[in-house]
Amino acid sequence: MTSSTTPERTSTAASTSGPSPPYLLHYWPTIPGRGEPIRLCFEATSTPYTDVTNSDKKSGMKTLLSLISSSNISNLPHFAPPILQHGDLYISQLSNILLYLGPKLGLVPKDDGNAIYHINQLTLTALDGFTNEAHDTHHPIAVSDYYEDQKDEAKKRAHDYVRNRLPKFLGHFETVLQSEASKGGKYLYGGQLTYADLVLFQGLDGVAFAFPKAVAKLRKEGKYKGVWDLYERIKGLEGIKGYLGSERRLPYGNGVWRYYEELDDGK
């Protein structure tokens, strides 16, 4: 019987013919950011990996900057991290990396040929609602400008996000958990842990950091109990629980999810 703190996922033992090359994650150091869902996939499945810039900031940053440099034309150029290195393969864009890792790490059901597309759909929606739109609350006008230069616009954007957009995305995932595709409401798809669950978990955790009063109010209302039960379930998984309590879990700061008291509308 599967332990309540052990993720139900597809084994990959039979899908590999030999030892896999090491996984290397290239991302900005010291912040969770868009590299975090990738880390969570490795941690949830006990898959060894190297977080390059956080393992050796000097040489790691040198490598990262070389990968995104406009002079790097030896292969397909990368616009921005995260970048996954696996043997001779280098790929970027978070959803693309997860699309690659999911089947390899057992985070996609093996007996469903359409699963990868449905899980990618859920992932993109979660990234839209809890990562991209959350980021745009503090930088609604220009990414290259300081928050202080767009505070008035940020207040308006955050107000709309907390009052309208955040509940809409929470409601959507509550519906997903009630759908037949979920197979029981424990996970988003197929009755097992997938990488979409981990992306949703990270988005919810980041939003709870950025808007603690607003999120506390939404949780108290009880409308999205299934979503928050899933959040707590992921948080309690053996690999995730250990990771969250370790130094490998980087603190929030000036990244995607930022806390500004004036944007946290919990009324």
Side-chain angles (χ1 to χ4, degrees):
M1 181 177 291
T2 304
S3 167
S4 60
T5 58
T6 302
E8 299 169 9
R9 59 187 180 85
T10 303
S11 171
T12 57
S15 63
T16 56
S17 56
S20 173
Y23 291 104
L24 281 71
L25 171 63
H26 301 274
Y27 191 67
W28 305 118
T30 73
I31 58 172
R34 289 179 173 85
E36 195 63 11
I38 301 168
R39 298 185 187 102
L40 290 172
C41 287
F42 290 137
E43 297 287 349
T45 58
S46 301
T47 301
Y49 71 104
T50 300
D51 193 348
V52 178
T53 59
N54 287 299
S55 297
D56 188 334
K57 288 184 174 60
K58 186 175 181 180
S59 65
M61 274 302 297
K62 183 178 180 180
T63 299
L64 174 57
L65 293 176
S66 71
L67 288 170
I68 61 175
S69 170
S70 60
S71 62
N72 179 26
I73 57 174
S74 60
N75 208 319
L76 184 64
H78 301 280
F79 182 74
I83 299 168
L84 178 72
Q85 178 183 350
H86 190 215
D88 295 331
L89 177 68
Y90 290 78
I91 54 174
S92 54
Q93 289 289 349
L94 173 56
S95 58
N96 189 42
I97 292 170
L98 296 173
L99 200 67
Y100 175 77
L101 286 176
K104 294 182 179 298
L105 303 185
L107 293 171
V108 175
K110 293 176 66 177
D111 58 353
D112 181 347
N114 293 323
I116 189 71
Y117 309 111
H118 292 145
I119 293 167
N120 187 48
Q121 172 183 315
L122 292 165
T123 295
L124 292 170
T125 305
L127 289 173
D128 280 343
F130 306 108
T131 299
N132 300 332
E133 291 201 22
H135 170 273
D136 290 348
T137 60
H138 55 77
H139 276 75
I141 303 299
V143 176
S144 58
D145 287 346
Y146 290 109
Y147 163 70
E148 288 74 16
D149 296 328
Q150 46 194 316
K151 286 181 70 173
D152 290 342
E153 294 86 355
K155 287 180 181 179
K156 294 177 183 177
R157 185 66 174 265
H159 179 81
D160 179 69
Y161 179 71
V162 167
R163 294 295 181 91
N164 299 309
R165 301 296 290 169
L166 182 55
K168 185 171 184 176
F169 280 101
L170 289 169
H172 172 72
F173 282 100
E174 187 73 17
T175 300
V176 170
L177 288 166
Q178 295 169 4
S179 72
E180 293 183 7
S182 170
K183 293 188 177 180
K186 193 174 181 181
Y187 295 106
L188 291 174
Y189 188 85
Q192 70 159 80
L193 178 71
T194 72
Y195 67 83
D197 297 298
L198 298 171
V199 171
L200 178 59
F201 167 81
Q202 176 53 40
L204 293 171
D205 196 72
V207 168
F209 169 79
F211 305 100
K213 292 179 182 178
V215 167
K217 180 176 181 292
L218 287 168
R219 293 192 69 167
K220 187 177 181 180
E221 290 174 356
K223 294 180 181 179
Y224 317 109
K225 185 177 183 301
V227 172
W228 292 110
D229 284 350
L230 172 59
Y231 171 81
E232 296 296 338
R233 185 173 299 114
I234 299 298
K235 195 174 183 178
L237 295 177
E238 185 175 349
I240 299 299
K241 184 177 181 180
Y243 169 62
L244 295 178
S246 74
E247 293 182 354
R248 299 190 305 281
R249 173 70 166 185
L250 301 169
Y252 292 108
N254 286 329
V256 174
W257 301 279
R258 306 184 189 186
Y259 174 69
Y260 295 105
E261 184 177 5
E262 61 271 22
L263 301 187
D264 185 17
D265 186 359
K267 296 180 182 178

